[in-house]
Amino acid sequence: MDRSIQFALGQDQADPIKQYKERFHIPKDNAGKDTIYLCGNSLGLMPKTTPAYVMQELEDWKNLGVEGHFHAKNPWMPYHEILTEQMAGIVGALPSEIVVMNSLTVNLHLMMVSFYRPTRERYKILFDYSPFPSDRYAISSQLKYHGFQPEEGMIELKPESGQEEVSMHHIENILHEHGHEIALILIGGVNYYTGQAYDVKRITQLGHQNGCLVGFDMAHAAGNLSLRLHDDGPDFASWCTYKYLNSGPGSLSGCFVHERHHQNTALPRFAGWWGNDKKTRFMMQNEFNPIRTAEGWQLSNPPVLSMAAIKASLDIFSEAGMDELRKKSIRLTAYLAALIQLEDNKNLRIITPESEEKRGCQLSLQMKRPDKRLFNYLTSNGVISDWREPDVIRVAPVPLYNSFEDVWHFSRILHEGLNNIK
Ligand SMILES: Cc1ncc(COP(=O)(O)O)c(C=O)c1O
């Protein structure tokens, strides 16, 4: 493998979507130089067009007041609908299966209200190892809410001893043994800590064969992997838009409900006026009549300023194309892995799976002798990444705004850092 900077520059030259980097604001270091931003798995960067999209709505509010609901350039009343088709394209869903609403943990709870229906015999929830804490709290509180002990009801999917990743074989064994007592499988499409991507289709099939409902937290997968939610068939999924989807801190979440559930008005759900049939929503009737799409799970009228920022980013995704982004991402992450393995394998281990179907942009680098000085060295040398206690640095080259050159410089700084802290 060619380790020269010329190789990286050549790859960038040949990259058919290199121009998108220019469309983002890259944070600067103290000297005013662009940082090497490898943190899109945590918070995506701001498209240069975002302020204009948000300003449009502020201007309409300034000039139209309440009339903006119907007469803004993009009328606010149906504003969330302009996000649906593009978001559906990103996660491989039918538009009727998608709604942008609330934030992620709220949506996980709303989905569990409908799709976690425990009985005394079948009440457990299978979830992936080391999930983001919010998912663990949400799952645990749902069990308690239904009168079960979280310690008894939570089955954590851990890699088998001596393994780094959770294998499909292991999932099959767990379902073989416990499938009859599992009400819900709720897995992160990509594990936030290890970066392992799960086989959505196979897990869904196995779950359904065992009588379980199946949902995914796609926070680290949406805008990262080429998803096929409709065809793969999980019952629901939800994700935030502020990571790979670049919509800004704390922005709204996407939610998927498979169409097989849309007509089922008997499903329990928490209701609010925005989920009511649009024809009668403003008649202020007593009876709740849910929209027969994913929109029927909405509660409140959604924040337009946040949706405007989402729209700015989705327009860029539509132009670049998810398939093209994924192609570049596979090459970029493989290049990063190869440079690290060549230089630094004595002190660092990549705990993210090696095969491209089992990971997205992110690599999780585990230090053999944990020392946060390495992370501090990276930061003080213009690399934005993140440190996860006790010993992992996560780095995610994002195809929209990272280049092969970024990856090359990162690997050089990482190598220097490892030598410095010996
Ligand atoms: C996997 C995962 N789940 C849940 C959350 C929580 O998201 P929110 O604060 O939008 O509810 C995050 C946030 O980073 C996450 O990474």
Side-chain angles (χ1 to χ4, degrees):
M1 176 165 143
D2 188 341
R3 298 180 209 186
S4 68
I5 177 87
Q6 285 74 20
F7 175 80
L9 295 174
Q11 295 297 304
D12 285 333
Q13 201 63 50
D15 171 13
I17 53 171
K18 57 178 175 292
Q19 69 277 22
Y20 287 96
K21 190 177 177 62
E22 292 300 315
R23 309 269 290 268
F24 287 84
H25 287 288
I26 312 287
K28 307 275 184 213
D29 65 14
N30 290 340
K33 242 178 74 199
D34 281 358
T35 52
I36 299 172
Y37 193 85
L38 298 176
C39 219
N41 55 320
S42 182
L43 184 72
L45 290 181
M46 184 168 109
K48 289 180 179 166
T49 45
T50 302
Y53 280 66
V54 175
M55 272 316 288
Q56 175 69 50
E57 305 317 321
L58 288 173
E59 280 296 315
D60 283 344
W61 178 26
K62 185 171 89 183
N63 296 323
L64 299 169
V66 71
E67 295 289 306
H69 281 109
F70 297 97
H71 301 299
K73 178 163 177 252
N74 310 300
W76 303 329
M77 224 275 294
Y79 195 103
H80 65 277
E81 294 171 17
I82 67 174
L83 310 177
T84 304
E85 201 150 317
Q86 287 168 306
M87 191 64 91
I90 285 176
V91 296
L94 304 177
S96 65
E97 293 172 321
I98 294 294
V99 61
V100 173
M101 60 179 189
N102 312 311
S103 43
L104 172 54
T105 311
V106 174
N107 285 340
L108 292 176
H109 275 298
L110 292 180
M111 292 295 99
M112 281 193 271
V113 166
S114 292
F115 299 110
Y116 174 52
R117 306 303 308 153
T119 62
R120 272 164 53 146
E121 295 71 37
R122 189 188 272 280
Y123 67 94
K124 298 193 177 179
I125 302 181
L126 178 69
F127 63 103
D128 62 323
Y129 134 80
S130 191
F132 193 78
S134 202
D135 297 41
R136 186 188 288 276
Y137 305 151
I139 290 168
S140 161
S141 60
Q142 284 282 335
L143 276 152
K144 281 193 211 154
Y145 177 72
H146 285 280
F148 299 101
Q149 299 292 339
E151 316 76 75
E152 286 168 20
M154 292 168 79
I155 307 184
E156 190 163 354
L157 191 56
K158 292 193 176 118
E160 288 161 284
S161 77
Q163 308 265 320
E164 295 293 350
E165 60 181 87
V166 176
S167 68
M168 264 323 296
H169 178 67
H170 186 46
I171 298 177
E172 279 163 25
N173 285 344
I174 289 184
L175 284 171
H176 185 68
E177 200 178 325
H178 296 285
H180 62 284
E181 44 186 20
I182 294 173
L184 176 67
I185 300 176
L186 179 51
I187 304 229
V190 172
N191 182 286
Y192 94 102
Y193 186 69
T194 65
Q196 174 174 357
Y198 289 98
D199 184 337
V200 176
K201 185 174 189 166
R202 189 76 193 110
I203 291 175
T204 301
Q205 276 171 350
L206 280 172
H208 286 168
Q209 279 161 14
N210 282 278
C212 320
L213 289 168
V214 183
F216 283 87
D217 174 343
M218 290 295 184
H220 293 263
N224 176 14
L225 302 175
S226 294
L227 297 172
R228 300 279 172 267
L229 288 183
H230 175 76
D231 291 345
D232 289 352
D235 297 286
F236 69 88
S238 191
W239 53 94
C240 45
T241 59
Y242 44 77
K243 299 181 187 297
Y244 294 102
L245 293 171
N246 312 313
S247 66
S251 189
L252 290 167
S253 158
C255 195
F256 163 90
V257 180
H258 198 280
E259 69 167 348
R260 75 174 77 88
H261 298 296
H262 293 179
Q263 300 300 327
N264 185 358
T265 52
L267 266 180
R269 72 177 95 193
F270 287 168
W273 74 316
W274 223 251
N276 194 79
D277 182 10
K278 291 174 198 174
K279 290 196 286 301
T280 55
R281 185 191 279 152
F282 287 93
M283 291 176 188
M284 308 300 183
Q285 293 164 337
N286 290 343
E287 189 81 9
F288 174 70
N289 180 19
I291 303 170
R292 306 297 202 264
T293 68
E295 289 191 24
W297 274 264
Q298 295 172 107
L299 301 179
S300 306
N301 78 105
V304 167
L305 300 182
S306 178
M307 290 191 295
I310 298 176
K311 178 70 179 143
S313 177
L314 290 180
D315 282 350
I316 297 177
F317 270 85
S318 294
E319 255 184 65
M322 199 55 231
D323 289 342
E324 208 52 56
L325 289 167
R326 178 68 182 138
K327 270 193 237 158
K328 174 173 171 188
S329 168
I330 289 170
R331 293 178 45 239
L332 208 50
T333 297
Y335 179 57
L336 171 62
L339 286 177
I340 291 170
Q341 275 151 354
L342 274 178
E343 303 271 8
D344 302 308
N345 57 359
K346 282 194 216 65
N347 304 323
L348 276 183
R349 218 152 67 94
I350 300 174
I351 57 169
T352 310
E354 209 175 317
S355 110
E356 67 184 50
E357 302 91 62
K358 291 190 188 159
R359 70 182 183 201
C361 299
Q362 175 188 331
L363 291 184
S364 300
L365 315 179
Q366 188 173 50
M367 295 190 74
K368 292 183 187 166
R369 293 182 304 280
D371 190 337
K372 203 174 172 189
R373 282 181 304 159
L374 176 63
F375 173 72
N376 295 338
Y377 183 87
L378 293 173
T379 309
S380 57
N381 282 278
V383 172
I384 313 280
S385 58
D386 71 16
W387 172 263
R388 284 286 170 265
E389 294 295 348
D391 54 7
V392 163
I393 295 172
R394 299 185 308 169
V395 279
V398 168
L400 269 175
Y401 50 73
N402 285 123
S403 60
F404 287 81
E405 187 185 357
D406 287 339
V407 168
W408 188 89
H409 284 298
F410 166 73
S411 103
R412 177 182 52 79
I413 296 165
L414 177 73
H415 186 55
E416 285 166 8
L418 282 163
N419 284 335
N420 277 3
I421 62 160
K422 262 184 199 157

